Amino acid sequence: SIGQLMILYANLPEINAAIDAIGSGSKMTGQKYWSCTEENAGIISAWMMRYNGGPLVAPKNNTANVRAIRNF
């Protein structure tokens, strides 16, 4: 969800340090990531996070990365 992505971005240095420590996985870098949170219309747009930590509503045909997040 967009809320989970906001938590990830708020803790980005710690998350990337943990990925380095385990020696496996890809760090989150200067990219955009989709969330599963759809915009009110839902059919054509959804929320994503930009690298600067700002949420953005974008058409679903835009290109961005995804990040699997385990429920917490």
Side-chain angles (χ1 to χ4, degrees):
S1 71
I2 193 65
Q4 290 170 318
L5 274 175
M6 291 173 87
I7 291 169
L8 284 176
Y9 273 74
N11 296 286
L12 205 54
E14 293 86 358
I15 290 168
N16 283 337
I19 291 169
D20 277 341
I22 62 172
S24 177
S26 60
K27 292 191 223 181
M28 292 182 71
T29 59
Q31 302 172 24
K32 294 180 280 190
Y33 288 88
W34 281 114
S35 79
C36 66
T37 307
E38 294 181 324
E39 197 267 333
N40 290 338
I43 296 169
I44 58 169
S45 53
W47 286 91
M48 68 168 57
M49 286 292 289
R50 295 175 286 195
Y51 183 68
N52 68 2
L56 161 75
V57 173
K60 290 181 180 179
N61 63 355
N62 280 5
T63 301
N65 293 302
V66 294
R67 192 80 179 191
I69 301 173
R70 187 175 186 179
N71 251 352
F72 62 94

